[in-house]
Amino acid sequence: MSDHPAPWLPADFSHPTRVELDSGLHLRPIRASDVDIDLPAVMGSRLQLRDTFGEEWGWPPATMTAAQDYEDLDRHEQEIARHESFNYALLNTDETALYGCLYLDPDGQGAEVSWWVVDQLVATPVEQELAEFVPRWLAARWPFADVRYPFNSGAHAADAAESADGANGADEVRQVREPREGVRTPLPEPDSAAGEAMWRAYCANHPEGEGWTLDNVSAFGDSVELADELIGLVVRGVKRATASLVRDYPAEQEPLPRIGGHWVACDGSGTPRVVLRTVELRLGTADSVQEAFAWDEGEGDRSRTAWLASHRGYWQRTLAARGEHWHPSDEVVFERFAVVWPPEAVQQGLNYAGSVAARPVVR
């Protein structure tokens, strides 16, 4: 990839963290923890990728291991954090599948941009949309003086770039595309009946749990998009902890968690996905969070620093929505949980726990 000879982005530039596409897929910065969905996508499309990038990048190697991919994704994640280059993953709604990647690398004061989609999406409307969207998005959102497409120089990219440079092109981009960045769609009510049915199926297969009760049917987060992202992390086995303000529970008319308690977690549509059992609880302030807990929450780069920033921002936003203010002294429930149903989600979690991605990268 290109060297980084000079600053190519303003010091105060904030890169997009999620961008919706009309296909229902979305782009977000890739993470090291995505190795479980990145590796099968890359190796399943290896011949195509080798034909496209192999001569210049030497990628992907025929024998790439999960450990090698994990280190590669960690490097990308660190470069994104430093604004040295950007790798965006193309993901499905709940981020349980990766369908391609978009790369933005420095090229003087501009950028060298490339992308790929998995074999099954080549020459489909998804690839067409990406080819048309990327140049328009770059023109509307990124401050590049010049953009080159060394591997994606087809007519769609050229046409889109010309449209973005036209008299009305940029206005059209801003009207159509920018509102779809950072979307927060209000959550629907969870499907309680389906949640109860999932709970009964779990209990029917665990007779030792006679007398167990279901405490709650709910989703993570405060939006469809966040609920989908977080339930995807749970299903994949990445997320095994969550943190909530004590004062949120009475406000939302939900019971405080209890060790051994069960709850059904839903996705952004309100559809139940998994039964969870609380296995550990602790009360404290946000600043008392430990590195290991931040890692187990599975969000962002899984660091304590990122955890504090994201949770403070989340609580400030959600409390403001009901006319309240967050304070550092607010009591937080730190909760670890286990996925106990359905069996395929349990197994997927065990697979992830035994993989290289379950441990921090040694830098």
Side-chain angles (χ1 to χ4, degrees):
M1 295 186 183
S2 304
D3 292 332
H4 187 188
W8 64 312
L9 292 170
D12 61 350
F13 179 73
S14 177
H15 65 274
T17 57
R18 180 179 172 120
V19 185
E20 307 292 333
L21 301 178
D22 291 337
S23 60
L25 303 180
H26 64 274
L27 294 163
R28 71 138 166 85
I30 205 160
R31 305 165 183 159
S33 58
D34 291 327
V35 63
D36 62 311
I37 53 176
D38 181 74
L39 186 62
V42 170
M43 299 309 283
S45 302
R46 181 182 173 275
L47 294 181
Q48 174 219 153
L49 297 178
R50 194 73 189 183
D51 285 344
T52 303
F53 303 109
E55 184 174 346
E56 184 165 334
W57 292 0
W59 177 85
T63 58
M64 185 166 68
T65 65
Q68 290 171 327
D69 193 36
Y70 191 38
E71 292 178 2
D72 195 33
L73 295 184
D74 179 67
R75 174 177 57 81
H76 282 301
E77 187 172 3
Q78 298 306 308
E79 289 172 347
I80 293 168
R82 296 190 298 263
H83 279 195
E84 293 178 352
S85 68
F86 297 88
N87 178 349
Y88 281 84
L90 180 65
L91 301 160
N92 65 340
T93 300
D94 63 4
E95 302 192 354
T96 54
L98 185 147
Y99 291 116
C101 284
L102 165 66
Y103 308 98
L104 284 67
D105 294 304
D107 184 25
Q109 295 300 306
E112 181 179 287
V113 178
S114 55
W115 62 84
W116 60 272
V117 296
V118 292
D119 283 355
Q120 62 265 37
L121 293 182
V122 171
T124 68
V126 170
E127 185 179 38
Q128 169 94 9
E129 179 189 19
L130 195 62
E132 293 175 349
F133 169 79
V134 169
R136 295 185 176 190
W137 178 55
L138 295 177
R141 183 63 172 81
W142 294 76
F144 299 136
D146 180 56
V147 178
R148 292 195 309 112
Y149 301 93
F151 304 106
N152 307 90
S153 56
H156 298 311
D159 290 345
E162 289 176 9
S163 174
D165 287 337
N168 299 318
D171 290 339
E172 178 183 351
V173 170
R174 290 183 174 88
Q175 291 171 8
V176 175
R177 297 296 185 182
E178 286 193 8
R180 304 200 65 194
E181 183 180 307
V183 171
R184 289 197 185 99
T185 307
L187 280 166
E189 288 296 320
D191 188 338
S192 297
E196 292 282 354
M198 176 175 281
W199 170 248
R200 289 193 298 271
Y202 167 65
C203 290
N205 284 270
H206 293 81
E208 74 278 11
E210 184 177 356
W212 283 346
T213 58
L214 177 61
D215 292 344
N216 195 17
V217 179
S218 62
F220 292 96
D222 65 335
S223 67
V224 168
E225 293 75 20
L226 185 54
D228 281 331
E229 177 184 346
L230 297 183
I231 197 64
L233 291 174
V234 172
V235 169
R236 286 168 48 200
V238 183
K239 182 177 178 65
R240 287 296 180 266
T242 189
S244 306
L245 294 180
V246 169
R247 61 168 152 154
D248 280 347
Y249 288 92
E252 297 170 5
Q253 298 183 333
E254 295 180 357
L256 282 164
R258 56 192 176 87
I259 293 178
H262 293 81
W263 51 294
V264 171
C266 302
D267 60 24
S269 71
T271 301
R273 296 289 295 276
V274 289
V275 178
L276 308 178
R277 183 178 68 242
T278 301
V279 298
E280 181 182 309
L281 289 170
R282 181 179 70 84
L283 295 178
T285 61
D287 285 345
S288 74
V289 67
Q290 300 165 337
E291 289 281 359
F293 187 90
W295 177 265
D296 288 344
E297 276 229 43
E299 302 171 30
D301 68 4
R302 309 180 76 171
S303 69
R304 182 179 184 275
T305 299
W307 187 98
L308 285 167
S310 65
H311 282 72
R312 286 167 179 163
Y314 175 81
W315 289 325
Q316 288 167 352
R317 181 177 78 241
T318 54
L319 288 174
R322 62 177 194 246
E324 300 177 25
H325 298 280
W326 177 79
H327 192 274
S329 63
D330 277 336
E331 201 166 30
V332 176
V333 181
F334 295 93
E335 176 182 3
R336 282 187 169 90
F337 56 78
V339 175
V340 295
W341 191 262
E344 56 269 25
V346 175
Q347 186 58 54
Q348 190 164 353
L350 291 173
N351 293 344
Y352 193 92
S355 73
V356 64
R359 298 175 295 279
V361 178
V362 178
R363 300 191 180 101

